[in-house]
């Protein structure tokens, strides 16, 4: 399932933890980090487009560099807003 907090496995058997999502121009995107087999996050962060095909969700690489750069800024804004609003405080206490 394509939902923030879930780990998804791509066709190449790499696993990604979904960190944030956003909609832009009626398209859905997720910000993710690749994880190792033991679910340890790596330093490889990637933004994917979520594609719905026959009721199933798939992650698609973003080939358009200009769009990718815009999405990076959009995701930075989302995270900054959460830090300012204290939305990460509950997550730190749970850890």
């Amino acid at each position: 399932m394509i939902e923030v907090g879930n780990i998804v496995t791509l066709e190449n058997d790499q696993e990604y933890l979904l960190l944030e999502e956003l909609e832009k121009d009626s398209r859905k995107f997720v910000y993710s980090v690749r994880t190792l087999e033991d679910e340890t996050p790596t330093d490889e962060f990637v933004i994917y487009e979520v594609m719905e095909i026959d009721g199933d969700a798939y992650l698609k690489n973003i080939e358009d560099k200009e769009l990718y750069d815009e999405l990076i800024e959009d995701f930075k804004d989302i995270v900054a807003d959460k830090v300012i609003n204290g939305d990460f405080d509950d997550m730190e206490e749970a850890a």
Side-chain angles (χ1 to χ4, degrees), residues 22-68:
L22 69 81
E23 276 198 37
K24 183 178 184 90
D25 302 326
S26 300
R27 295 162 63 188
K28 184 176 175 181
F29 300 93
V30 291
Y31 179 62
S32 64
V33 62
R34 189 172 67 81
T35 60
L36 302 176
E37 287 183 20
D38 65 356
E39 299 183 4
T40 302
T42 65
D43 61 353
E44 184 181 333
F45 294 87
V46 182
I47 299 171
Y48 290 105
E49 182 174 0
V50 179
M51 304 296 295
E52 298 279 338
I53 301 172
D54 296 329
D56 292 323
Y58 298 91
L59 299 182
K60 176 184 172 191
N61 288 326
I62 300 169
E63 304 294 331
D64 182 342
K65 181 174 176 5
E66 185 176 319
L67 172 60
Y68 198 90

